[in-house]
Amino acid sequence: MGRIPTPPPSLLWYFVSRNKLVGDIPSSICNSSSLKVLTLWNNSFNGTIPECIGNLSSSLSHVDLGNNNFHGKIPECFAKYCTLQSFRINNNQIGRSLPRSLGNCKDLNLLDVGNNNLNDTFPNWLGNLDHLQVLVLRSNKFFGQMDNSDVTVSFTRLHVIDLSCNDFSGYLPTNFFKNLHSIRKGHENKLELEYMEDVSDYIAFNYVYGLSLTVKGSEIEFQSLSTIWMVIDFSDNQFFGALPKTLGELHSLIVLNLSHNCLTGPSPSSLGDLSELESLDLSSNKFQGRIPTELTNLGFLEVLNLSQNNLKGPIPQGKQFDGFTNDSYKENLGLCGFPLSKRCDNDRGTLVKFDRDDDELNWKFSILMGYGCGLVLGLSMGYIVFTTGKPWWLIMIIKLVQQRFTRR
């Protein structure tokens, strides 16, 4: 409890996470020129982030100031030869924009600025950071279009990107998806599971600890993160237009969340090529047409949410689709088939009301119709036979039967 103690200048690692420390970061920390790790995560610090944090980035490898009450802005000047591998200031009240000098941090693996008040366009210039693997911009005030054909960037190693709860707009960025090489290439080294951690001085530092993402509809706080965990979350923005077919080329993708946007058009059948996908959320958009039957090829799919769209036609059946409930499809008035209460006309794919009471009435009505038709046909045949005397053989049979009954 209380204020943070002043670290000695020769200190290398400074961990005071998960305490009840208050106040601001003392300016004396600027004298810690040997500091490699600064972790103040999950306290009650306030005030601004000292500008010298940027200057110390030539020695610092990891900075975690998340889950506090810092306000103001991110330090403007990160050192030219910045050695930062992770920079986390999530869950504060930081405003302004991302400083371009972060581009000096060529070894940056993780950038988490989620849940702040940052007001900026999408930082395409981060694509020049060849080691960037995790980018979290969620719950800020980022705005504007991402699909800029004049800007070519290559997020070579990026495998987790969370842009949810912002004001991004325009078409989904086709060029951006094309350059997500780590997600496109598939799991080539599945047996060699690697985790994001910094192994130096014979100590493994897990700098991802506490990272929070929305996965399969739930908020999850990760204790560690493997390099094969692939996530794209663009939910709660203003994206519009159709889904680009290039999404189907992201073969290693595990979680795809595009919910709560203004996306339109059909769902491309290429989504069926996402062989590793475990969670797909396209809810609260304006998608039209049928659900592609190719989605039944997604053998690992555990969570599916297509609710609140304009989808129609039969729901694909078989495999994992047999386990999804009504919640996956609600408020799509044109859908039919299991598990909904509307069945499909197999010939035309049109809706037929499915009701047990109606079915009972239908078979009872069919039986009555059969009896009625048989009675009318019998009476008609009898009238014809006895008035015309034909056919003669039928008359003879009837007379023989009558004679037998008379003898008895």
Side-chain angles (χ1 to χ4, degrees), residues 20 31 34 38 60 69 231 247 267 362 386 392:
K20 299 179 181 179
N31 299 323
S34 301
L38 176 63
L60 280 169
N69 299 309
V231 178
L247 275 174
S267 300
N362 286 340
F386 287 105
W392 64 267

Side-chain angles (χ1 to χ4, degrees), residues 83 89 97 112 127 155 252 278 310 343 382 388 401:
T83 59
I89 59 167
S97 59
D112 185 356
F155 289 90
S252 297
E278 297 180 12
N310 298 315
R343 66 180 183 183
T388 62
V401 172

Side-chain angles (χ1 to χ4, degrees), residues 120-184:
D120 202 352
T121 57
F122 182 74
N124 280 301
W125 44 271
L126 287 175
N128 296 320
L129 302 180
D130 294 334
H131 294 278
L132 189 64
Q133 299 183 50
V134 176
L135 175 61
V136 180
L137 306 181
R138 64 185 296 183
S139 298
N140 277 283
K141 299 177 182 178
F142 286 94
F143 63 92
Q145 299 184 15
M146 288 182 62
D147 197 3
N148 189 341
S149 57
D150 297 331
V151 178
T152 302
V153 293
S154 180
F155 289 90
T156 307
R157 299 188 183 182
L158 192 65
H159 60 89
V160 174
I161 176 167
D162 188 350
L163 307 184
S164 61
C165 301
N166 279 287
D167 292 315
F168 289 114
S169 59
Y171 294 102
L172 288 174
T174 302
N175 291 332
F176 177 83
F177 295 137
K178 286 181 178 179
N179 289 308
L180 295 176
H181 300 299
S182 287
I183 306 180
R184 289 169 62 92

Side-chain angles (χ1 to χ4, degrees), residues 38 63 69 80 86 93 155 212 214 216 243 297 304 318 336 357 366 370 385 387 393:
L38 176 63
V63 173
N69 299 309
K80 184 176 181 181
S86 67
Q93 303 171 38
F155 289 90
S212 182
T214 300
K216 302 178 183 180
L243 291 182
N297 297 330
L304 175 67
C336 59
D357 294 335
S366 299
V385 167
T387 55
W393 54 269

Side-chain angles (χ1 to χ4, degrees), residues 23 29 71 108 148 168 173 199 215 251 259 278 312 318 342 365:
I29 203 168
H71 61 270
L108 195 65
N148 189 341
F168 289 114
V199 181
V215 177
H251 302 296
S259 65
E278 297 180 12
K312 64 179 182 179
K342 292 178 180 178
F365 180 72

